[in-house]
Amino acid sequence: MSSYDKYQSPLSGRYASKEMLYLFSPAKRSSTWRQLWIWLAEAEKELGLDISDEAISQMKAHVKLTGEDFETAATEEKRRRHDVMAHVHAFGEVAPAAAGIIHWGATSCYCTDNADLIFLRDGLNMLLPKLATVIHKLSKFAREYKDLACLGYTHGQPAQLTTVGKRACLWIQDLLMDMRNLERARSDIRFRGVKGTTGTQASFLAIFNGDHSKVEELDRLVTEKAGFESAYVISSQTYSRKIDVDTANAFSSLGTTFERIGLDIRHLAMFKEIEEPFEKDQIGSSAMAYKRNPMRSERMCSLGRKLANLNKDAADTYAAQWFERSLDDSAIRRITLPEMYLCADALLILLNNISSGLVVYPAVIQRRIDLELPFMATENIIMRLVARGGSRQDAHEHIRVLSHEASDVVKKEGKDNDLMERIWRDEFFKPIVGELDKLLDASTFVGRAPQQVEKFTGPGGEVQTALKPYAEAFAAEETAELNV
């Protein structure tokens, strides 16, 4: 059967990276199980158990599975209805000297859970530099446009001016929170280690004839071989599914950030102020040839929404566990855990691509400011008249009448805002006519936005401090390519 004749997840077929797909592949999962069995056998041998050098050597020679190995395991699993024991059998077939000691003292979760913890850790190690790269690119964008005034919006309505760069800093600040959450999730991940069927290590205590120190040393050795600093002292048959919940919550929060950023970019594209990259041969619509749809940002919103909701699966699974373990966690985790990482990976690729080529249209931004700024400038005009000895109340009334007249022209006739022309023609404002251009300078309406951007993203600021551990990741300034 052709691969085109079977369902393929869009995450694997369209969106995620090759390295993340490999991390959650059957080949990586099964070879990690074999590596865990090797570490266990090595540690047991080091502590005096009768395991031959030949057994270890044969296991190491077959850590990577062949197609025949997978077929053997599949046949055995169909017969036994047990994936781990099927792979124990397949490993023993190619490492006969080790067949009797593979999985010695362990339970299935020694393989499945420890492997999952490795994947959770390694996946975060892959994602965090990608997130740092995105933040770095957006920081460069923010600094480049820190002085470019644009309309701010509250309640979806024009509000006090901000700058293009300052708005980008809102995105960056949220992404920094996500980086902190993911780093915390990574630092919280420990190894399950060798704990036995209900987490009491009873089987290993029996193997070592009641020697508690050797059981503890076995746990330490295997944990060290797996590259973890420590293992959980307390576990049941599984590591606590609360770990999945905490990790999923960090991913969920990240998903909401992506959707929020995507929405902002889509709205700005609607205003024609900013656009995501649009390639030479890209088609926006099959019917409307002129369209430049923000498909990257729309996809980012879609996948962000998916990621934001995956934590519900993890939370429900944790809550539904019985005592020391129940198997209703298995099938859903096979779907949810990879999807979290593949989805986050796809989103980071998208935002890298978008942030590498954001297009800003200053003339459109200025035109939109010109439509609203006269109204915003009225308070400054009133204050200036008062400073020149005029009446605040009289000035307010003149502005009120002229503003309503200008508003009618904009709304009812579809013409440009002519409030300033009306003010220039009104004798009442003659004392400050020479100052009106200065009072309408957009740069005087952005407050400390440029300085805030510089403080936030510049030397010694929050952004550079947070990104310092990931400097190598974004040194090449590469643009992530989309598959579709």
Side-chain angles (χ1 to χ4, degrees):
M1 181 184 287
S2 165
S3 61
Y4 298 105
D5 296 326
K6 297 182 292 185
Y7 170 77
Q8 296 180 11
S9 167
L11 289 170
S12 59
R14 297 171 68 86
Y15 304 140
S17 66
K18 291 179 180 178
E19 60 268 23
M20 192 61 75
L21 288 169
Y22 175 69
L23 181 66
F24 290 97
S25 68
K28 178 65 173 177
R29 182 176 179 82
S30 300
S31 65
T32 301
W33 288 4
R34 288 191 173 186
Q35 186 60 66
L36 283 160
W37 283 319
I38 292 169
W39 289 330
L40 178 61
E42 286 178 334
E44 288 175 335
K45 178 178 173 63
E46 290 172 33
L47 292 170
L49 296 188
D50 186 14
I51 297 174
S52 68
D53 291 338
E54 183 181 8
I56 301 291
S57 179
Q58 287 183 3
M59 292 170 77
K60 287 183 174 180
H62 295 281
V63 69
K64 290 187 177 180
L65 284 76
T66 64
E68 188 175 341
D69 290 340
F70 278 109
E71 290 175 8
T72 299
T75 299
E76 192 68 14
E77 184 176 358
K78 187 173 182 179
R79 176 187 175 205
R80 303 292 186 182
R81 304 298 181 194
H82 198 291
D83 56 349
V84 172
M85 286 307 296
H87 277 273
V88 169
H89 174 80
F91 202 10
E93 288 278 297
V94 295
I101 58 93
I102 294 171
H103 203 65
W104 192 1
T107 188
S108 297
C109 288
Y110 168 73
C111 305
T112 58
D113 278 39
N114 280 323
D116 283 344
L117 290 165
I118 290 171
F119 302 150
L120 296 184
R121 175 198 65 186
D122 292 354
L124 286 169
N125 285 338
M126 293 163 62
L127 292 173
L128 279 163
K130 294 183 179 184
L131 177 54
T133 299
V134 164
I135 294 172
H136 170 70
K137 287 176 180 285
L138 287 174
S139 297
K140 289 180 63 179
F141 176 83
R143 287 196 296 275
E144 181 178 356
Y145 292 101
K146 66 180 180 173
D147 297 310
L148 181 58
C150 65
L151 286 176
Y153 288 89
T154 60
H155 309 277
Q157 303 299 310
Q160 191 175 58
L161 301 190
T162 183
T163 70
V164 171
K166 170 62 187 296
R167 178 176 283 138
C169 286
L170 299 178
W171 307 337
I172 295 167
Q173 180 166 255
D174 292 348
L175 289 169
L176 286 177
M177 294 181 194
D178 293 314
M179 174 177 282
R180 178 202 64 200
N181 292 340
L182 292 176
E183 288 174 336
R184 178 202 52 76
R186 181 182 60 181
S187 66
D188 283 352
I189 294 172
R190 289 184 270 168
F191 202 51
R192 175 190 176 276
V194 290
K195 296 298 192 296
T197 55
T198 58
T200 66
Q201 299 177 303
S203 58
F204 295 104
L205 194 62
I207 289 171
F208 288 108
N209 299 313
D211 190 331
H212 289 267
S213 63
K214 283 194 174 182
V215 175
E216 289 199 7
E217 181 63 7
L218 178 70
D219 206 0
R220 189 195 68 79
L221 283 172
V222 177
T223 298
E224 184 180 82
K225 289 174 185 289
F228 286 83
E229 293 183 3
S230 64
Y232 297 107
V233 175
I234 300 299
S235 79
S236 59
Q237 187 175 99
T238 70
Y239 70 79
S240 173
R241 297 303 180 228
K242 193 78 170 178
I243 300 301
D244 294 346
V245 177
D246 285 353
T247 305
N249 284 342
F251 278 114
S252 177
S253 182
L254 178 65
T256 65
T257 304
F258 279 114
E259 184 169 10
R260 159 69 199 280
I261 294 172
L263 280 170
D264 275 0
I265 295 173
R266 289 163 65 190
H267 282 119
L268 292 169
M270 183 172 67
F271 298 153
K272 295 181 172 57
E273 292 188 13
I274 291 179
E275 286 183 343
E276 64 179 36
F278 196 91
E279 297 161 28
K280 178 178 177 291
D281 296 322
Q282 184 174 331
I283 295 173
S285 167
S286 62
M288 295 168 279
Y290 60 88
K291 293 197 74 179
R292 296 169 67 91
N293 297 340
M295 51 78 66
R296 291 166 171 82
S297 299
E298 289 174 314
R299 182 185 297 172
M300 190 162 71
C301 289
S302 185
L303 291 175
R305 198 174 308 137
K306 173 66 175 177
L307 182 58
N309 284 283
L310 284 174
N311 64 335
K312 183 70 162 55
D313 287 352
D316 288 349
T317 299
Y318 161 70
Q321 288 303 286
W322 292 10
F323 303 116
E324 279 64 49
R325 195 273 156 94
S326 55
L327 196 59
D328 60 312
D329 66 340
S330 179
I332 193 169
R333 292 177 69 255
R334 290 175 190 261
I335 299 169
T336 300
L337 296 186
E339 281 192 348
M340 284 195 313
Y341 281 78
L342 295 174
C343 208
D345 184 57
L347 284 161
L348 286 166
I349 292 170
L350 269 172
L351 191 50
N352 180 305
N353 183 274
I354 292 169
S355 59
S356 297
L358 282 170
V359 182
V360 179
Y361 296 108
V364 176
I365 291 172
Q366 186 59 52
R367 175 171 172 75
R368 289 179 60 78
I369 289 175
D370 291 343
L371 289 172
E372 305 292 343
L373 190 59
F375 295 131
M376 298 178 189
T378 55
E379 186 174 2
N380 289 354
I381 293 172
I382 291 171
M383 293 303 101
R384 195 61 192 155
L385 267 170
V386 173
R388 289 294 188 117
S391 163
R392 189 265 176 198
Q393 314 312 332
D394 291 344
H396 184 279
E397 180 60 18
H398 275 77
I399 288 290
R400 185 188 69 81
V401 172
L402 296 179
S403 294
H404 286 201
E405 291 173 354
S407 181
D408 280 348
V409 167
V410 172
K411 294 176 180 178
K412 296 178 181 178
E413 301 178 32
K415 295 180 180 179
D416 290 345
N417 187 338
D418 65 354
L419 175 59
M420 296 313 300
E421 295 173 17
R422 293 173 185 272
I423 291 175
W424 275 315
R425 294 195 302 263
D426 193 313
E427 283 294 315
F428 181 80
F429 296 98
K430 188 174 182 179
I432 63 166
V433 163
E435 301 176 63
L436 288 177
D437 285 340
K438 185 177 180 181
L439 291 172
L440 283 169
D441 181 356
S443 66
T444 65
F445 287 81
V446 299
R448 297 192 65 254
Q451 291 75 22
Q452 289 176 345
V453 173
E454 195 59 43
K455 182 177 182 179
F456 184 55
T457 65
E462 291 180 41
V463 176
Q464 291 195 14
T465 300
L467 296 186
K468 194 172 182 180
Y470 306 99
E472 284 187 23
F474 49 77
E477 296 288 347
E478 293 180 352
T479 299
E481 295 294 327
L482 305 184
N483 294 326
V484 290

